[in-house]
Structure formats: structure tokens, C-alpha cells
Amino acid sequence: MKAITANRLTDGQVIYRTADGEWSPEIDAAERLDGEDAQTRLTLAETEHAIAVGPYLIDLADDQPGGQKWRRETIRLTGPSAGTTRQTGV
């Protein structure tokens, strides 16, 4: 199963293309795609330059990023994996 993801043009937020052709920041709202339908939808998403930057297909497993790049997609979805506290004196 695949979904289309991109970054929103206005603020860089990770977004997902929905079945009704809209974009959502919620992965749960992403349209689930298979086969040629996935490539057809991606081609359409690539024309939406005023909304989304760099759309591409990702693998989904149990409604979460899957496949070989699951870690990258999880970081894109949830934010940096490094801590946000600063050490002083370093």
C-alpha cells in the first residue's frame, strides 16, 4: 500500500494527499493507493505547485510509514529525533 506525501508550500508542513484530492497534515487521511493508480495520482499531485512541494510516494504499513525508508518518513511526520534540550558549557 502507498500514499502520496509532500511539504506544504506555505510553511513546509508534511502533508498527505487525500482520496478527494485535498491535502491533509494527518497520515490517517491519506489515500491508500496500489499499482498504476498510485503513479497516476502522483502525476496529478505533481501539478499542484501552489500547494505542495516535492510530492512522492511512500510505503504504508498498518497506517504508518513502512518499507525501507520508514525511519525517514517517521521523522518527517513526528519531528527530529534529537533532543531539544541544550547543554551549557559545551
Side-chain angles (χ1 to χ4, degrees), residues 11-64:
D11 62 4
Q13 172 76 38
V14 175
I15 52 176
Y16 302 91
R17 198 150 197 285
T18 66
D20 60 0
E22 299 295 323
W23 291 91
S24 172
E26 302 297 324
I27 195 169
D28 295 341
E31 179 178 20
R32 275 49 178 170
L33 303 162
D34 278 322
E36 287 183 31
D37 194 37
Q39 189 59 49
T40 301
R41 301 275 192 186
L42 177 59
T43 300
L44 180 60
E46 290 172 335
T47 67
E48 299 175 331
H49 306 289
I51 301 169
V53 176
Y56 61 95
L57 293 168
I58 61 168
D59 291 319
L60 292 179
D62 299 324
D63 295 329
Q64 294 297 317

Side-chain angles (χ1 to χ4, degrees), residues 54-85:
Y56 61 95
L57 293 168
I58 61 168
D59 291 319
L60 292 179
D62 299 324
D63 295 329
Q64 294 297 317
Q68 293 181 345
K69 297 182 179 177
W70 70 270
R71 189 174 314 251
R72 173 184 178 217
E73 295 305 324
T74 300
I75 291 170
R76 282 184 72 236
L77 178 63
T78 60
S81 58
T84 57
T85 60

